[in-house]
Amino acid sequence: MDHFQYSDGMLLSEDVSLSDIAEDVGTPFYVYSNATLERHYNAFAQAFDGLDTMVCYSVKANSNIAVVRTLARLGAGADVVSGGELKRALAAGVPANKIVFSGVGKTTQEIGDALKLGIMQINVESEPELEVLSQVAVDLGVEAAVAFRVNPDVDAQTHAKISTGKSENKFGIELNRIHEVCRKAKDMSGIHLVGLAMHIGSQLTETGPFREAYIRMYGLASKLRAEGFNVERLDLGGGLGIPYGDNEGPLIGPVEYAKIVHEVFDDFDGKLIFEPGRVIAGNAGVLVTRVIYLKKGATRDFAIVDAAMNDLTRPSLYDAFHEIVPVALADDNAIVPYDVVGPICETGDTFCTQRNLPLLAAGDLLAIRSAGAYGATMASSYNTRALIPEVMVRGRDFSVIRRRMEVDDLIALEMFPAWLSNSPD
Ligand code: LLP
């Protein structure tokens, strides 16, 4: 359930009409509901009764510092994958000792910064990374708390571009090598093994892959412990899928997910870390856009809107389905199949094709739902379209949490080389 509901024919976020926000900040914009973020976080965090757990919100899903702070205030730690995300998590108020750093390509600089800050854990994804980590830790005179990210070779049965747990994927260390790597790590200075990590993919809609991967993780952890290795924490990653609309299969709720975790890890004596992203933020946000033109093509009706693939790239990148609804409900029942498209000069700039929507008029507002995760964070300025504002609603209040970028902000980052510095004659 989310807090985007109609009242008197108008779509509200909590108690605020989306058309009022549009009046105030202009379109397009992202809007997030505080109550939905809180509800989703609490539903997840409270699902694991009796287990020693910690939730490290996956910042990549929605990294706005106001979103991260909202979750941090509820007790969330953070899963970060770059020095930039690390900086954001800290700026949002997440304590360093609740931050996990994942990612296949951490630079020496990023590793050094993370170690200086004393973050909770670094998830190491390769042997070369382990060597750099050891060197940097020794140079700084600290011990790095390390979990090895295991690649369990399990098919997450999700979109190929967001599947991460198969042996051909770039992520993690092959399960069969983990023993060897742990032995190696034992003799390395600056490395303190704390556990294992995994993340097999995103938008999982079946329980099977989670169960399979977790059983492998449990088996590996038990063997390592039997050999005297310190496996006090298991980081089980994120990945829970969310409903995007009426074309989704059965989904896994936090309670069903927690059941699998209980089944596999009930007698694991240690901490379980989770890195949910989409399941917290996805349905807590919508992208509001205005119809610029209605164009009758030879075979299609196009609704050309002011948001585009640079603002929300999921439909063009993954052929993702996002439900699209009018902000104001129409009085009549006329339904028209529209292609809702943006202004960018690519056919891929299409939010949906042949989608039945109420009869639209230029100027109408539409809400593209389930856009709270991997929406604003994946936006670009392609076609020199400046990044759009983000707004957070709480009850009757709303607040801009990222101002609209100006094209001048973009151009200000650029400069001429000396040989072009004179204006053309
Ligand atoms: N942990 C790690 C190490 C990850 O790589 C990810 C996501 C997560 C946690 C959070 O996964 P979630 O709970 O959100 O599924 N841009 C794509 C999704 C990419 C996910 C990348 N990693 C999309 O729009 O569908």
Side-chain angles (χ1 to χ4, degrees), residues 97-163:
N97 66 5
K98 287 175 130 183
I99 298 178
V100 176
F101 193 174
S102 315
V104 288
K106 303 176 197 81
T107 63
T108 307
Q109 173 78 41
E110 288 175 322
I111 289 173
D113 290 347
L115 288 179
K116 280 185 217 151
L117 287 162
I119 67 165
M120 176 172 73
Q121 171 177 314
I122 299 193
N123 292 348
V124 169
E125 303 221 12
S126 68
E127 291 167 65
E129 181 190 341
L130 180 65
E131 275 155 29
V132 170
L133 180 58
S134 163
Q135 188 58 56
V136 178
V138 169
D139 290 349
L140 291 172
V142 297
E143 289 253 289
V146 167
F148 288 117
R149 176 163 173 183
V150 182
N151 182 321
D153 194 21
V154 167
D155 183 354
Q157 293 167 33
T158 180
H159 192 284
K161 286 188 179 155
I162 53 174
S163 182

Side-chain angles (χ1 to χ4, degrees), residues 7 48 67 84 229 231 425:
S7 171
F48 305 96
V67 170
F229 290 108
V231 184
D425 302 325

Side-chain angles (χ1 to χ4, degrees), residues 32-238:
Y32 312 125
S33 148
N34 171 78
T36 312
L37 283 169
E38 291 190 345
R39 180 190 158 91
H40 289 172
Y41 177 82
N42 287 330
F44 189 93
Q46 291 162 12
F48 305 96
D49 247 12
L51 291 171
D52 177 8
T53 58
M54 173 165 186
V55 178
C56 289
Y57 167 66
S58 191
V59 169
K60 64 177 79 63
N62 186 320
S63 58
N64 187 290
I65 53 174
V67 170
V68 180
R69 176 167 288 184
T70 300
L71 300 171
R73 291 230 166 129
L74 300 175
D79 153 48
V80 302
V81 290
S82 69
E85 285 192 352
L86 177 55
K87 216 167 181 178
R88 273 179 182 283
L90 293 167
V94 180
N97 66 5
K98 287 175 130 183
I99 298 178
V100 176
F101 193 174
S102 315
V104 288
K106 303 176 197 81
T107 63
T108 307
Q109 173 78 41
E110 288 175 322
I111 289 173
D113 290 347
L115 288 179
K116 280 185 217 151
L117 287 162
I119 67 165
M120 176 172 73
Q121 171 177 314
I122 299 193
N123 292 348
V124 169
E125 303 221 12
S126 68
E127 291 167 65
E129 181 190 341
L130 180 65
E131 275 155 29
V132 170
L133 180 58
S134 163
Q135 188 58 56
V136 178
V138 169
D139 290 349
L140 291 172
V142 297
E143 289 253 289
V146 167
F148 288 117
R149 176 163 173 183
V150 182
N151 182 321
D153 194 21
V154 167
D155 183 354
Q157 293 167 33
T158 180
H159 192 284
K161 286 188 179 155
I162 53 174
S163 182
T164 52
K166 289 277 288 168
S167 58
E168 64 263 34
N169 300 137
K170 66 181 174 182
F171 299 95
I173 298 169
E174 172 191 352
L175 191 131
N176 294 331
R177 272 207 61 75
I178 294 282
H179 257 93
E180 181 55 32
V181 178
C182 286
R183 273 186 218 117
K184 199 170 141 187
K186 212 168 189 169
D187 298 329
M188 289 170 86
S189 312
I191 300 294
H192 170 57
L193 178 67
V194 294
L196 300 172
M198 73 160 55
H199 171 78
I200 59 171
S202 195
Q203 186 56 16
L204 271 72
T205 55
E206 306 287 336
T207 54
F210 279 124
R211 188 178 286 106
E212 181 69 40
Y214 291 169
I215 289 171
R216 290 183 193 186
M217 174 91 137
Y218 181 86
L220 178 61
S222 308
K223 274 196 201 151
L224 289 172
R225 278 182 163 183
E227 281 189 33
F229 290 108
N230 180 42
V231 184
E232 60 194 84
R233 304 176 198 154
L234 296 178
D235 177 344
L236 302 182

